[in-house]
Amino acid sequence: MSPNLRRRIRLTAFFAAALVSLSLVTGDPEVRAEAASTVSTASSASSAYTQKGADTCLSCHNDDSMLLIFRTPHGQGSDPNTPFAHLQCESCHGAGGEHAGRRNVGAGHPPIIAFGRDTETPVDEQNGVCMNCHKRHLGMQWTGSVHQRNQIACADCHSSHATVDPVSVLTRQAEVCFDCHKKQRADSMKPYAHPVRFGVMTCTACHDPHQSASDSLLKRNTLNELCWSCHTELRGPYLFEHAPVSEDCALCHEAHGSIHQAMLNKRPPLLCQSCHSQRGHPSISFNEDSLGGGGRPPSAFVVNGSCLNCHSQIHGSNHPSGGKLMR
């Protein structure tokens, strides 16, 4: 408990005693009523919070994971912006006077605010405690976001007692996200994927878990804007554009990982033929036979780069003769 709070409680108790003495001398009913109210307030104030603050809590909760709080920003009492500069543990966990009080054997302790998935404290109440200090970090768009609607608690992702929050570590952040996003974990392990599993890239390089008005919590308004922030050579504008490229990168590419080169949804020519027919083309539609099935050698049109053997400028071309994306 902070020194200021203890001082206020002692002063309240002192004035309560003075009012009681005055009521006995004067016999005034109003003075007696005010004295009774003040005594009740002083009693509730003194019992709501523990007398020794964190020392009371640590008499039971003294394992290593709890003691690490003193090596985090939250546990620095010298910083007036931290919980420990005020009510210490009870700044976040609520008044613990009843919880820490003496109980009969087996009676248990009244619950306090607890954080995490396996606690009885409602998610809104947990997040409300965090937002008392971190509201400006979340931003206005947290309310109504997909994480907020799905009752994701701050403690589901963040560890306030850890010396270093895992989501802030380049090599550990993805594992926190993958606890819920199982499909994305599987995709990231495919042969062709962004280097998330190698700790070179993080989920938050593309997504903003707290505030985003776009689909999938992207950090840009559209998927193409996000992709072009790294793949600037593909941004354009081009004299001859490939329509799906300027519309949506995901029409051809899998963002989290694929078994096909360049993280493609399908392997060419199957991907190309999902939009382009053989009409006007010097070849016929490629199938399992032309791809080398039945013991036949593969067609010369589909070996190596497949359609890209000729149409190499697949994202667009600025060449005067690049209408077929060949130059």
Side-chain angles (χ1 to χ4, degrees):
M1 183 181 298
S2 67
N4 290 335
L5 182 61
R6 295 194 188 98
R7 191 178 301 112
R8 288 198 298 269
I9 292 174
R10 287 197 297 268
L11 287 174
T12 303
F14 171 78
F15 285 117
L19 283 171
V20 170
S21 300
L22 182 61
S23 67
L24 293 175
V25 173
T26 62
D28 190 333
E30 293 184 0
V31 174
R32 285 199 300 272
E34 183 178 356
S37 175
T38 307
V39 169
S40 176
T41 302
S43 175
S44 61
S46 62
S47 62
Y49 290 93
T50 58
Q51 292 295 320
K52 297 181 180 180
D55 291 338
T56 302
C57 303
L58 293 173
S59 63
C60 294
H61 305 283
N62 56 4
D63 56 278
D64 291 342
S65 62
M66 292 296 175
L67 295 176
L68 285 175
I69 188 69
F70 296 107
R71 300 175 62 184
T72 71
H74 289 98
Q76 306 306 311
S78 59
D79 184 350
N81 295 318
T82 66
F84 259 71
H86 302 282
L87 296 173
Q88 300 179 346
C89 304
E90 293 165 290
S91 293
C92 297
H93 293 281
E98 289 294 323
H99 177 80
R102 293 178 177 272
R103 297 282 163 182
N104 294 329
V105 177
H109 296 270
I112 57 173
I113 299 174
F115 298 90
R117 300 177 184 177
D118 301 324
T119 64
E120 297 180 358
T121 305
V123 170
D124 290 339
E125 186 176 353
Q126 292 184 42
N127 289 353
V129 173
C130 302
M131 291 178 69
N132 284 335
C133 296
H134 297 284
K135 190 171 185 178
R136 66 184 179 87
H137 299 131
L138 289 177
M140 296 177 59
Q141 293 167 336
W142 166 257
T143 303
S145 68
V146 64
H147 280 153
Q148 194 267 342
R149 294 198 310 271
N150 283 279
Q151 291 289 290
I152 302 300
C154 303
D156 289 345
C157 304
H158 298 279
S159 299
S160 58
H161 279 256
T163 307
V164 179
D165 193 350
V167 295
S168 66
V169 181
L170 188 67
T171 56
R172 298 173 61 189
Q173 184 191 98
E175 289 302 317
V176 177
C177 301
F178 289 158
D179 281 345
C180 294
H181 301 283
K182 305 295 186 183
K183 181 182 183 301
Q184 285 70 26
R185 179 200 290 271
D187 287 342
S188 72
M189 299 296 175
K190 291 178 179 178
Y192 303 97
H194 285 114
V196 174
R197 72 174 184 266
F198 302 116
V200 179
M201 185 176 177
T202 63
C203 302
T204 52
C206 299
H207 302 277
D208 190 329
H210 297 131
Q211 51 177 336
S212 175
S214 64
D215 293 339
S216 303
L217 296 176
L218 297 178
K219 299 183 77 170
R220 299 296 180 93
N221 292 327
T222 66
L223 178 63
N224 280 22
E225 286 184 19
L226 179 65
C227 298
W228 290 337
S229 64
C230 290
H231 303 282
T232 53
E233 74 281 6
L234 306 177
R235 181 191 297 271
Y238 294 106
L239 180 62
F240 298 101
E241 288 187 336
H242 192 187
V245 173
S246 58
E247 182 180 349
D248 190 342
C249 300
L251 293 175
C252 297
H253 299 278
E254 287 283 356
H256 293 102
S258 172
I259 61 173
H260 306 296
Q261 289 186 3
M263 297 169 63
L264 293 175
N265 297 331
K266 296 179 182 179
R267 185 175 181 179
L270 302 178
L271 175 63
C272 304
Q273 290 177 173
S274 62
C275 293
H276 299 281
S277 71
Q278 69 272 20
R279 181 178 177 84
H281 200 274
S283 66
I284 62 173
S285 177
F286 297 116
N287 53 37
E288 63 274 7
D289 292 329
S290 57
L291 293 176
R296 301 181 181 86
S299 168
F301 290 104
V302 295
V303 294
N304 194 17
S306 186
C307 303
L308 275 70
N309 288 334
C310 299
H311 304 280
S312 58
Q313 304 302 310
I314 197 65
H315 290 97
S317 174
N318 284 321
H319 195 280
S321 300
K324 299 296 184 181
L325 304 180
M326 299 173 70
R327 298 186 180 186

